[in-house]
Amino acid sequence: MILFVQKPTEKAENRAAMTPAAAKKLIGLGISIEMPAGTGVKSSYPDQQYIDEGVTISQSPDESLAKADIVYGLELPKAATFKKMKEGAVYLGRVEPFGNAKLIAAAAKAKVRLVSMEMIPRTTLAQKMDILSSQANLAGYQAVITGASRLDKILPMMMTPAGTISPSKVFIIGVGVAGLQAIATAKRLGARVQAFDTRPVVEEQVKSLGAKFVKIDLGETGQTEQGYAKELTEEQLEMQRQGMAKVCADSDIVITTAKLFGRKAPIIVTADMVAAMAAGSVIIDLAAETGGNVEGTKVDEEVVTDNGVKIIGIGKLENELPTHASQMYAANLANFTEHFWDSEKGELVLDPEDEIIQGSLLTDNGEIIHPTFK
Ligand code: NAD
């Protein structure tokens, strides 16, 4: 069995889909790994570390791709990649399946078995394969670090002979995986932290991290079976904005993480709310790539408003921590592979009755089989 690792080509992408540690685990299963030279260099994994674990540095990536039984990707795949793969081979990686119908159709046409790692069900068993969680966790941490570094103040309280500095106030909107990590990180740095989420179950989690939950009565809200937030009505969103305006105005750092899986993010912080914030305040919008939670966010840019508020909308903050982001991402894919590895047959067996496969396998036998994308 040959596994080929694609090397990211986008200049801004620093991560890799394989690490030496993940390679060691997979080679231990009996899998041969081939990858282009320099695949892990930007995440500080030199080729030699992979070679030491038994990875082959491919002299012809296209040939390696064509003979591979399993392909690991990190950037969105291209239809051309599927065309070059052999029939029945498995592609594992990010697919962003909502809005990428043509890509899914291309995989089906090429008879590639396409696994969307974003669609891994949110169950305890599948947690070790969940790329959304592993990357969001790091992004949540990095949001606070970025916010702190762009703020003209310190986060903790400091009592010095020259006077007392009061702690900075951090407000986190959206308390999923990224938001929880952001709360924990901001607390560790000594900030005064408040948070809000539309899912009522979150209140306890916020309190258990020592932060204050901002209460806004929006009527009926809730979550889907997979734990994702339900979309609010426009009326509810307006109530939310009004409830939050004062908290935003009073905060030094606002971090928004409020996404709606597969859909555009809601605008929660309007231009008026930004205008009411103090000069020097920082907003980190983690939903920037899916439209942004903040009016005026620009992906991968820092916008400074007329009243001196910095709005930072870096698309993938985890990309700034590539060593650990690659470690987590590669581990997610390797855990999937190990979980479905049949050691007697020496191959990946994607059982259509398995809950994880039902959730994440989009194409098989030349057809789109996933009910959501069919
Ligand atoms: P996400 O990235 O889709 O959204 C981030 C947060 O924004 C969510 O908490 C969501 O409720 C919130 N949000 C959406 N609209 C909002 C609004 N208008 N105002 C305020 N907040 C809003 O979510 P996520 O991080 O992927 O996590 C979703 C849930 O899934 C969480 O409960 C998480 O703990 C759970 N989860 C479970 C597992 C597992 O059991 N294996 C794994 C990962 C996540």
Side-chain angles (χ1 to χ4, degrees):
M1 278 287 138
I2 295 174
L3 188 159
F4 177 66
V5 184
Q6 286 206 298
K7 179 179 174 178
T9 54
E10 286 162 25
K11 208 167 153 224
E13 182 56 76
N14 298 326
R15 297 168 296 167
M18 184 65 72
T19 58
K24 183 178 181 182
K25 178 180 197 162
L26 294 162
I27 290 169
L29 297 176
I31 298 174
S32 304
I33 304 178
E34 299 188 12
M35 55 179 236
T39 299
V41 164
K42 285 210 260 175
S43 28
S44 302
Y45 299 107
D47 284 350
Q48 192 57 47
Q49 287 187 14
Y50 294 92
I51 294 168
D52 290 347
E53 299 299 348
V55 172
T56 302
I57 301 300
S58 172
Q59 299 308 315
S60 168
D62 269 355
E63 272 176 35
S64 297
L65 176 66
K67 67 182 180 190
D69 305 284
I70 306 167
V71 175
Y72 278 13
L74 175 64
E75 286 174 351
L76 280 190
K78 298 193 171 60
T81 303
F82 300 143
K83 277 189 201 155
K84 288 178 195 160
M85 287 171 64
K86 69 180 184 192
E87 287 184 9
V90 178
Y91 182 97
L92 289 186
R94 278 177 54 225
V95 178
E96 291 185 8
F98 295 97
N100 264 328
K102 279 188 185 160
L103 190 67
I104 301 171
K109 195 167 170 219
K111 297 207 162 91
V112 164
R113 290 185 282 167
L114 177 61
V115 178
S116 163
M117 294 301 291
E118 300 99 327
M119 295 297 293
I120 296 282
R122 303 204 115 170
T123 60
T124 307
L125 182 65
Q127 245 172 338
K128 60 185 178 185
M129 314 171 196
D130 183 348
I131 62 166
L132 293 182
S133 293
S134 73
Q135 304 301 296
N137 213 348
L138 295 170
Y141 165 88
Q142 190 65 359
V144 176
I145 301 299
T146 306
S149 72
R150 300 298 299 125
L151 188 69
D152 305 332
K153 298 180 174 181
I154 62 166
L155 261 53
M157 182 169 98
M158 240 183 227
M159 291 165 93
T160 80
T164 298
I165 298 176
S166 38
S168 291
K169 294 175 192 161
V170 177
F171 181 32
I172 292 159
I173 304 171
V175 189
V177 179
L180 282 171
Q181 189 57 256
I183 294 174
T185 306
K187 284 295 292 180
R188 270 184 227 127
L189 289 175
R192 197 176 289 162
V193 186
Q194 301 192 77
F196 176 76
D197 197 295
T198 51
R199 293 179 299 118
V201 293
V202 166
E203 181 171 351
E204 270 317 299
Q205 298 168 13
V206 170
K207 285 185 182 159
S208 73
L209 287 171
K212 187 179 164 207
F213 189 76
V214 174
K215 283 209 184 244
I216 305 169
D217 186 3
L218 299 178
E220 202 186 318
T221 57
Q223 61 182 24
T224 66
E225 256 177 43
Q226 290 283 323
Y228 291 112
K230 288 196 174 147
E231 195 166 4
L232 299 185
T233 62
E234 194 41 51
E235 200 181 18
Q236 284 176 311
L237 266 175
E238 190 46 41
M239 281 157 71
Q240 177 180 358
R241 291 181 197 120
Q242 283 173 14
M244 278 181 180
K246 201 173 168 299
V247 187
C248 285
D250 201 31
S251 297
D252 299 292
I253 299 177
V254 174
I255 296 174
T256 66
T257 79
K259 297 184 192 167
L260 292 168
F261 187 54
R263 275 166 292 157
K264 189 183 169 305
I267 291 280
I268 293 171
V269 181
T270 60
D272 284 349
M273 290 161 80
V274 177
M277 289 174 69
S281 312
V282 179
I283 302 176
I284 309 280
D285 188 347
L286 279 186
E289 274 196 330
T290 52
N293 292 139
V294 183
E295 215 172 330
T297 295
K298 290 208 172 103
V299 182
D300 292 337
E301 276 186 40
E302 178 174 320
V303 177
V304 182
T305 62
D306 292 345
N307 60 322
V309 176
K310 298 165 192 156
I311 306 176
I312 300 171
I314 300 171
K316 289 186 180 58
L317 266 175
E318 62 273 24
N319 204 17
E320 296 186 355
L321 305 164
T323 304
H324 281 151
S326 302
Q327 179 189 325
M328 297 294 146
Y329 186 93
N332 292 145
L333 270 58
N335 287 335
F336 180 99
T337 308
E338 186 185 40
H339 188 84
F340 293 106
W341 187 253
D342 185 323
S343 48
E344 275 173 26
K345 290 186 185 158
E347 63 180 38
L348 258 190
V349 175
L350 306 185
D351 175 6
E353 299 300 317
D354 185 285
E355 189 189 19
I356 299 171
I357 298 302
Q358 284 177 352
S360 61
L361 182 63
L362 307 188
T363 60
D364 198 5
N365 273 325
E367 282 181 42
I368 299 172
I369 56 162
H370 195 290
T372 308
F373 304 102
K374 227 170 178 166

